[in-house]
Amino acid sequence: MKQKFYAYLTDKEKGVTNNWDECRAVVSGVTGARFKGFTSREEAQKWLEAGADYSIKHIIAKKGIYFDAGTGTGNGVEISVTDEKGKSLLGKILPKNKINNRGFCLLPKDVTNNFGELLALKHALQIAINENIKNIFGDSKLVIEYWSKGYIKKDNVAEETIELAGEVKKIRKKFEALGGIIELISGSNNPADLGFHKG
């Protein structure tokens, strides 16, 4: 299990600890107390310096391309591909009429969120190869560790998803042959995140 760090802020004290019980002892029962978990001490400290604002999704993002999919608007699955600052990159690969005013692409009604994650990774890979970017990050373990490597159970998955997984596997091989790396991160550290993860 990865080391976790907890930032906390109350009227009387603020700090960072790597011990949840210590953090809980400081914030428990304190009105207005703020706290959040992070994967590095540096991120936790930066969050405190930024005012312990829960709306901040990414404090320190490594340079690269980030991808995600989600259904939060209630209109269906949307995909997001951004840089480390959360700026949409989908315009580099899709026509403008496919991208909504928030920089996302709304997919057809009948696709799953996992299909969206896989498609978002495909676009991230294409952009990375075109722009010679070596790092891609996402929060879907299923897509990063299995489907994009061609490991997919064909019994319960739509044919369209199986075909897409085959395409993504080929593009991923090319990307990795060029020295590229795909890294699994938490949703709370994903600038492309569509807002459904808590730190």
Side-chain angles (χ1 to χ4, degrees), residues 32-47:
R34 293 175 168 258
F35 59 95
K36 188 172 180 175
F38 295 90
T39 55
S40 77
R41 183 174 292 278
E42 186 182 8
E43 285 177 300
Q45 195 60 49
K46 292 268 188 191
W47 183 71

Side-chain angles (χ1 to χ4, degrees), residues 13 20 60 105 115 149:
E13 56 186 308
W20 166 241
I60 302 169
C105 174
F115 177 90
K149 294 179 177 179

Side-chain angles (χ1 to χ4, degrees), residues 18 47 119 192:
N18 63 357
W47 183 71
L119 183 61

Side-chain angles (χ1 to χ4, degrees), residues 5 14 21 32 43 50 76-77 79 89 96 103-104 127 133 137 141 150 156 160 177-178 191:
F5 295 87
K14 71 176 180 177
D21 290 333
E43 285 177 300
V77 176
I79 61 171
L89 300 177
K96 285 182 182 177
F104 307 143
I127 295 165
I133 295 169
F137 306 91
K141 184 174 184 175
N156 305 331
E160 182 182 24
L178 294 168

Side-chain angles (χ1 to χ4, degrees), residues 43 58-69 79-90 117 120-121 123-125 127-128 133 135-139 183-193:
E43 285 177 300
H58 54 282
I59 300 293
I60 302 169
K62 295 178 187 174
K63 194 164 175 55
I65 298 176
Y66 293 76
F67 72 93
D68 194 29
I79 61 171
S80 171
V81 179
T82 75
D83 65 12
E84 64 278 2
K85 294 176 184 165
K87 180 182 173 199
S88 178
L89 300 177
L90 285 171
E117 293 273 3
L121 175 55
H123 294 324
L125 285 163
I127 295 165
I133 295 169
N135 296 295
I136 294 176
F137 306 91
D139 55 46
E183 187 176 327
L184 181 66
I185 59 171
S186 74
S188 60
N189 291 336
N190 187 353
D193 184 67

Side-chain angles (χ1 to χ4, degrees), residues 134-172:
K134 300 299 182 194
N135 296 295
I136 294 176
F137 306 91
D139 55 46
S140 173
K141 184 174 184 175
L142 177 68
V143 166
I144 291 173
E145 295 186 5
Y146 299 98
W147 285 10
S148 66
K149 294 179 177 179
Y151 305 120
I152 187 167
K153 291 182 180 176
K154 297 179 181 174
D155 299 343
N156 305 331
V157 180
E159 185 61 38
E160 182 182 24
T161 304
I162 294 166
E163 288 174 15
L164 179 60
E167 283 179 54
V168 174
K169 178 183 174 183
K170 288 177 190 167
I171 301 168
R172 179 177 182 156

